[in-house]
Every structure is written in structure tokens, then in C-alpha cells.
Amino acid sequence: MILIFGGTTEGRIAAETVDEAGQPFFYSTRGTLQEVEGRNMVRLTGEMNRKEITSFCREHRIRLIVDAAHPFAAQLHANIDGAAKDTDIQVVRLERLYPQLPGDIIRCESFDEAILRMKRDGIKKLLALTGTQTIGKLKPFWLENDCIFRILRRDESVETALREGFPKEKLVFYQPEESEEKILEETNPQAIITKESGRSGGFVEKIEAAAKAGVKIYVVKRPPMPESFITVTGKHGLRRVIEQRVPGFYPLRSGLTTGTCATAASKAAALALIDEVFEKETEVTLPDEERISVAIDCVEKTDAQTARAEVVKDAGDDPDVTHGHRIISTVSFSDEPGIHFLQGKGVGRVTLPGLGLPVGEPAINVTPRNMIAGELTAIYGGGLDVTISVPDGEELAKRTFNPKLGIVGGISIIGTSGIVRPFSSEAFVDAIRREVEVAKAVGAERLVINSGAKSEKHVKAIYPDLPPQAFVHYGNFIGETLKIAEDTGFQKVSMGIMIGKAVKLAEGHLDTHSKKVVMNKEFLRKTALEARCSSATMDLIRDMTLARELWNIPVPEEKDSFFNKIVALCARHCQSILPHAELTLLLIDEDGKVFNKKVSSQ
């Protein structure tokens, strides 16, 4: 079991991430105000001290604690740390993202220091944006000076303020629709005081508005977390730690894209080259701004101008051809400003338009390029050449879509999120999208989609004049492929489908993977009745094990009627997500021949 301490935006993220595993977990908050849902979540409310947390963890056999509570809940963090030591349980801290503070902000280690500095600076009118629980901490200041406190519109918040003796007329209520600029205009303070509460706490908006208004800004720095906590900054890092620390909690492990691996290797090589720092693990920023740690297999500075680093690709439980292979980055000084990408051994070269990269460039996609450039420009302001290599890449590429995409000489360095989900539908759909975009770019007048090579061979014979890039495999992702065709603007789409997928699609399942949906005999029986099939056909449906046995329907007229119905239902479901194209649906029999054809107009 996993125990989450939440009550924050990060707590909600933690709950959603843990809930994906499909296993029960506990979610603890001090009060009942936060609305958070989870199919497998057991909600706990009320404060717990160190002894109570320890007892709870032992009683419920907690294997990991996730601390996603407010960064200023210092006593709770200490209680969690103590209980973790008592029970030998690891704590993962799901931390907020914190922006860099501008130089003119006055940083304070504590509220006591902030009071001293504000008095010393002659502040007589203050807008406090630090929350109800800090009214008592600022009491020595507001007893002597004009102070306005913004609080949440809750009875308990007002009661807390009045209990401390704070004047009710000096309270203002937080209005979600109200800008920070408006409250500054209405209160006209000399200064504001706020906590370093991170992006999810509205910190950026507060300081930007105050800076724009010329108001002095005092920031109370967040307290440090216990050193024993493992810190992550988002859902991907949290899941990866859970996979490592609680093996088997998730049925499948997540992994890293080649783009993330290349980014980590490039950063490690750059640090070795420029600062002679040789990291065994480095942090990189994902496209969603989460930072994750990546292990560096080896790093060396080969000479005064060059360094190289390697990362071994971990794709988790995704069937990725690059899993376990080395992603190498060589970084060298360049006389030209900026970051320049060069083709290394085993990385492909683009030869066709439509991939978002100029023809002739190494096949390093836009997202990985941006990730690498972001890390390297933060380290060095001059020019750098980056050469990405995958020693076995040329052989691996034969097992990918690259040859059809016109990428020659190796694999692509890809990844839109930086993370590989197990048996990643995202990775497969991204590959489909790239293929469809290439088909459009080379001028194919028709897109022909098939479930695989078995049907494609025969469908190609129907369209001999189309370029090879016009033929795309959809796997099980019929709906996603049709959406991509619609988005790309194809006016004519042909889809080859075999009976196993057709009977699922006819029922409305646009993802036909066997893990998502199985053949429904009751649906087939009803369809056969609507097609006026005889009892012999009904018996065949009752007794069959595989969909392909439908080809044994004994009466030819019934076979035609039944499959006409199946194909019509398939076309209806497809046309709803492909409204602006002519769809030709081709039902392929076991010999690879087109048994039934239906054209649906726009």
C-alpha cells in the first residue's frame, strides 16, 4: 500500500498517478475541503502526529509514503520524516516547480526576519498574501502598522483571524476571478509579503503584479525538506520512483524516450566539456517542465574540444526496439553560435518532406532538439556541435517505420512527452501521424490504411499508382488513424480490414486491441438476425471460437447479407470521425482478397 499526504494541487496529481495502477492506496488531508477522486483511493482526514503516522503505516503495511503536502507544512514534513525513520519506509516528496526569484525581491528565511526587515525599511502599509495560518506569525508587525490580510472566504478562516485579534475590517477575501493587479490597486500598499509557494500556489502572478505596480516584495523562503526524502517534480518522476521502490505496484513499467536519453547524454557531455564535471546521474527537463533524473552510463572528456556521454535506453515494459541500446552524445565547441545537430552513426537522415525537419538533416525530431538546446544553452552561451549516435541504429531501423518514412541510415531520435508509456499507444500513434504527414507531403491523392502487412499486399494491387508512402498501418488504432487523416486533410481514404477487427469495429470499438475488447457473440447473433440469416448460421456463431470462422457461413446469400451489414456498421462508425473525406472500406478475406467493398461519400 501507498500513503499520500495531500491537500494540494500536487496531492491531486499524486492521487491520479497512483490511481492508474488499479491498486488501493490511502490519501490523507487535514480537512475535508479538497475535492479529489480516485477509483482505488481510501480517503483519510484529520491531523496525524509522528506516533500516529508510524502506527498507521505498521497496521496497514505501507510500503511507500508520498509527501505532496503544502511546502510550508513544516511540522507535517517533520512528522512524516520521523515516522519514516521509525518504520524504515522511503518518502517521496512531490515538489512544486519554483521559478527563479528576480534580484530585487527581498528574501527572508522566516517571518521573524521579514518583520525585522519591513520595520527597518519603514514599511507602514502592507498587503499580506501569506494565508490565514500566518496571521499570528505576523502579529508583531500588524499590531503597530496598517496591514491588510487576504484570506479565503471560509468561516474557519475568518474565525482564525478574529481569534488572533486581527481587525475584521482589514480582511479582504480571495476572489478567483479577480486579478492580482486589482487588489493592489484597491489596497495601495507600500509592500506585499508572500510565501515562496511555487507556480501552483500563484506565486508568479503575485510577484509580477507587485513588480509592475512598483510595490516592494518580501518573500518568506520555503523551509527545507528532510534530506532523506527523494524529490520528484511531477507525475512521471513519481511513477518511476514507485516502480523502483514498490516493484509490481504498476502492472507495467514506464520508460524513457530516445529523445530524453539523448538530452541527458548531451547535458552530461557538455558539463564534462565545459566545467569538467562528470555526472553519474543528471537532471533534464521534460516538455511539460517536469525535471527527472537519468542515469549516465559513462562520460569522458576526450580532448580539449570534445566530450562524450552514454545513456542506456530503458523503455520500461514497452516493446521498443531501442530498449537496452546505447544512446551516445558527442559535444564539441563550435565557432558558429547556437546548437548544431550532426548525424552520428546509427541515426537516420531525412530524405522526404513531411516530418517537420529539412531534407538532409539528422532524424532528431523537434521536441528532442528543443530539450537538448534548452539544457545546453543553460550551461554555455557559445556555439556547440551535438552528434547523436546509436551504434546498432542502422540494424534497428529495419524493424521500424523509418524506411517507409524516407529516413535512411538509422533510427530516429523521437519523443513528444519524453516518457514512454508501457506498450505505448502514444508512441505508435505518433508513428502513424508521421507516416500520414509524409504521405500528404509527397502528394499522395489517397491515403490507404491497413491493419498490417498481410492485407496491405493485396490492397496495394488495387492502387498500383500510389507511392509507397500512401500505405500506412493502423495496428489497432483505427479511430486515431482516421482522426489523423481528417486533421491532415485527406479527401480520399481507403481502409483495408480483416474480419477479426471488423466485428469489433462494427460494434463501435475504434481501438480493437484484444486487451481492450473481445469478439461479442451476442452482437454477432443480433446482426445475423437483422441480416435474416438461418438457424445454421446462428449455430455457427454460437459454436465458433475465432471470428475468421464466419467465413464458413454455409449459405452464400446469407454470407453476403451478413458481411454487408458488418461493413455498413463499420463505415458508419468511421464516417463519424472522418466527415470530410470519401471513405472506401475493404473487407479482406483469409486469402487476402477483397470480399466486400463499400464507399461512403462525404
PDB file of all heavy atoms in Angstrom, residues 236-248:
ATOM      1  N   HIS A 236       5.538  11.874 -13.844  1.00  0.00           N
ATOM      2  CA  HIS A 236       6.415  10.875 -14.457  1.00  0.00           C
ATOM      3  C   HIS A 236       7.492  10.421 -13.480  1.00  0.00           C
ATOM      4  O   HIS A 236       7.750   9.217 -13.336  1.00  0.00           O
ATOM      5  CB  HIS A 236       7.049  11.444 -15.724  1.00  0.00           C
ATOM      6  CG  HIS A 236       6.052  11.884 -16.755  1.00  0.00           C
ATOM      7  ND1 HIS A 236       5.104  11.035 -17.269  1.00  0.00           N
ATOM      8  CD2 HIS A 236       5.866  13.086 -17.359  1.00  0.00           C
ATOM      9  CE1 HIS A 236       4.364  11.692 -18.154  1.00  0.00           C
ATOM     10  NE2 HIS A 236       4.812  12.927 -18.223  1.00  0.00           N
ATOM     11  N   GLY A 237       8.108  11.391 -12.820  1.00  0.00           N
ATOM     12  CA  GLY A 237       9.124  11.047 -11.842  1.00  0.00           C
ATOM     13  C   GLY A 237       8.544  10.262 -10.687  1.00  0.00           C
ATOM     14  O   GLY A 237       9.169   9.320 -10.180  1.00  0.00           O
ATOM     15  N   LEU A 238       7.331  10.630 -10.257  1.00  0.00           N
ATOM     16  CA  LEU A 238       6.677   9.913  -9.167  1.00  0.00           C
ATOM     17  C   LEU A 238       6.427   8.466  -9.558  1.00  0.00           C
ATOM     18  O   LEU A 238       6.728   7.540  -8.788  1.00  0.00           O
ATOM     19  CB  LEU A 238       5.362  10.598  -8.802  1.00  0.00           C
ATOM     20  CG  LEU A 238       4.513   9.896  -7.740  1.00  0.00           C
ATOM     21  CD1 LEU A 238       5.285   9.763  -6.431  1.00  0.00           C
ATOM     22  CD2 LEU A 238       3.203  10.645  -7.519  1.00  0.00           C
ATOM     23  N   ARG A 239       5.901   8.258 -10.751  1.00  0.00           N
ATOM     24  CA  ARG A 239       5.627   6.879 -11.172  1.00  0.00           C
ATOM     25  C   ARG A 239       6.911   6.064 -11.247  1.00  0.00           C
ATOM     26  O   ARG A 239       6.953   4.902 -10.824  1.00  0.00           O
ATOM     27  CB  ARG A 239       4.907   6.868 -12.512  1.00  0.00           C
ATOM     28  CG  ARG A 239       4.749   5.443 -13.053  1.00  0.00           C
ATOM     29  CD  ARG A 239       3.768   5.316 -14.168  1.00  0.00           C
ATOM     30  NE  ARG A 239       3.748   3.937 -14.657  1.00  0.00           N
ATOM     31  CZ  ARG A 239       2.731   3.387 -15.280  1.00  0.00           C
ATOM     32  NH1 ARG A 239       1.631   4.077 -15.497  1.00  0.00           N
ATOM     33  NH2 ARG A 239       2.798   2.133 -15.692  1.00  0.00           N
ATOM     34  N   ARG A 240       7.975   6.652 -11.768  1.00  0.00           N
ATOM     35  CA  ARG A 240       9.231   5.912 -11.909  1.00  0.00           C
ATOM     36  C   ARG A 240       9.798   5.521 -10.545  1.00  0.00           C
ATOM     37  O   ARG A 240      10.324   4.419 -10.382  1.00  0.00           O
ATOM     38  CB  ARG A 240      10.240   6.735 -12.713  1.00  0.00           C
ATOM     39  CG  ARG A 240       9.904   6.752 -14.205  1.00  0.00           C
ATOM     40  CD  ARG A 240      10.850   7.655 -14.989  1.00  0.00           C
ATOM     41  NE  ARG A 240      12.215   7.177 -14.956  1.00  0.00           N
ATOM     42  CZ  ARG A 240      12.697   6.181 -15.688  1.00  0.00           C
ATOM     43  NH1 ARG A 240      11.900   5.516 -16.501  1.00  0.00           N
ATOM     44  NH2 ARG A 240      13.974   5.839 -15.619  1.00  0.00           N
ATOM     45  N   VAL A 241       9.681   6.403  -9.556  1.00  0.00           N
ATOM     46  CA  VAL A 241      10.157   6.046  -8.215  1.00  0.00           C
ATOM     47  C   VAL A 241       9.299   4.930  -7.622  1.00  0.00           C
ATOM     48  O   VAL A 241       9.824   3.993  -7.002  1.00  0.00           O
ATOM     49  CB  VAL A 241      10.152   7.279  -7.288  1.00  0.00           C
ATOM     50  CG1 VAL A 241      10.440   6.858  -5.846  1.00  0.00           C
ATOM     51  CG2 VAL A 241      11.192   8.291  -7.736  1.00  0.00           C
ATOM     52  N   ILE A 242       7.991   5.005  -7.818  1.00  0.00           N
ATOM     53  CA  ILE A 242       7.115   3.945  -7.306  1.00  0.00           C
ATOM     54  C   ILE A 242       7.460   2.619  -7.972  1.00  0.00           C
ATOM     55  O   ILE A 242       7.526   1.570  -7.313  1.00  0.00           O
ATOM     56  CB  ILE A 242       5.634   4.305  -7.545  1.00  0.00           C
ATOM     57  CG1 ILE A 242       5.237   5.516  -6.693  1.00  0.00           C
ATOM     58  CG2 ILE A 242       4.730   3.114  -7.214  1.00  0.00           C
ATOM     59  CD1 ILE A 242       3.856   6.065  -6.996  1.00  0.00           C
ATOM     60  N   GLU A 243       7.718   2.645  -9.276  1.00  0.00           N
ATOM     61  CA  GLU A 243       8.092   1.412  -9.989  1.00  0.00           C
ATOM     62  C   GLU A 243       9.374   0.809  -9.420  1.00  0.00           C
ATOM     63  O   GLU A 243       9.511  -0.411  -9.335  1.00  0.00           O
ATOM     64  CB  GLU A 243       8.258   1.713 -11.478  1.00  0.00           C
ATOM     65  CG  GLU A 243       6.948   2.008 -12.193  1.00  0.00           C
ATOM     66  CD  GLU A 243       7.153   2.600 -13.584  1.00  0.00           C
ATOM     67  OE1 GLU A 243       8.303   2.956 -13.915  1.00  0.00           O
ATOM     68  OE2 GLU A 243       6.168   2.722 -14.325  1.00  0.00           O
ATOM     69  N   GLN A 244      10.305   1.693  -9.024  1.00  0.00           N
ATOM     70  CA  GLN A 244      11.581   1.208  -8.485  1.00  0.00           C
ATOM     71  C   GLN A 244      11.460   0.748  -7.035  1.00  0.00           C
ATOM     72  O   GLN A 244      12.034  -0.279  -6.644  1.00  0.00           O
ATOM     73  CB  GLN A 244      12.627   2.328  -8.577  1.00  0.00           C
ATOM     74  CG  GLN A 244      12.993   2.707 -10.005  1.00  0.00           C
ATOM     75  CD  GLN A 244      13.670   4.058 -10.076  1.00  0.00           C
ATOM     76  OE1 GLN A 244      13.976   4.687  -9.064  1.00  0.00           O
ATOM     77  NE2 GLN A 244      13.905   4.547 -11.299  1.00  0.00           N
ATOM     78  N   ARG A 245      10.704   1.492  -6.232  1.00  0.00           N
ATOM     79  CA  ARG A 245      10.647   1.236  -4.797  1.00  0.00           C
ATOM     80  C   ARG A 245       9.551   0.239  -4.405  1.00  0.00           C
ATOM     81  O   ARG A 245       9.647  -0.380  -3.345  1.00  0.00           O
ATOM     82  CB  ARG A 245      10.418   2.556  -4.054  1.00  0.00           C
ATOM     83  CG  ARG A 245      11.544   3.566  -4.249  1.00  0.00           C
ATOM     84  CD  ARG A 245      12.745   3.202  -3.408  1.00  0.00           C
ATOM     85  NE  ARG A 245      13.893   4.064  -3.700  1.00  0.00           N
ATOM     86  CZ  ARG A 245      14.965   4.126  -2.936  1.00  0.00           C
ATOM     87  NH1 ARG A 245      15.027   3.386  -1.845  1.00  0.00           N
ATOM     88  NH2 ARG A 245      15.981   4.907  -3.267  1.00  0.00           N
ATOM     89  N   VAL A 246       8.512   0.149  -5.210  1.00  0.00           N
ATOM     90  CA  VAL A 246       7.416  -0.784  -4.924  1.00  0.00           C
ATOM     91  C   VAL A 246       7.201  -1.649  -6.163  1.00  0.00           C
ATOM     92  O   VAL A 246       6.223  -1.472  -6.896  1.00  0.00           O
ATOM     93  CB  VAL A 246       6.123  -0.033  -4.537  1.00  0.00           C
ATOM     94  CG1 VAL A 246       5.091  -1.012  -3.960  1.00  0.00           C
ATOM     95  CG2 VAL A 246       6.406   1.080  -3.540  1.00  0.00           C
ATOM     96  N   PRO A 247       8.117  -2.553  -6.458  1.00  0.00           N
ATOM     97  CA  PRO A 247       8.007  -3.368  -7.673  1.00  0.00           C
ATOM     98  C   PRO A 247       6.664  -4.111  -7.726  1.00  0.00           C
ATOM     99  O   PRO A 247       6.204  -4.658  -6.732  1.00  0.00           O
ATOM    100  CB  PRO A 247       9.179  -4.354  -7.545  1.00  0.00           C
ATOM    101  CG  PRO A 247      10.140  -3.693  -6.612  1.00  0.00           C
ATOM    102  CD  PRO A 247       9.306  -2.908  -5.654  1.00  0.00           C
ATOM    103  N   GLY A 248       6.064  -4.080  -8.895  1.00  0.00           N
ATOM    104  CA  GLY A 248       4.803  -4.776  -9.085  1.00  0.00           C
ATOM    105  C   GLY A 248       3.576  -3.951  -8.774  1.00  0.00           C
ATOM    106  O   GLY A 248       2.449  -4.401  -9.038  1.00  0.00           O
TER     107      GLY A 248
END
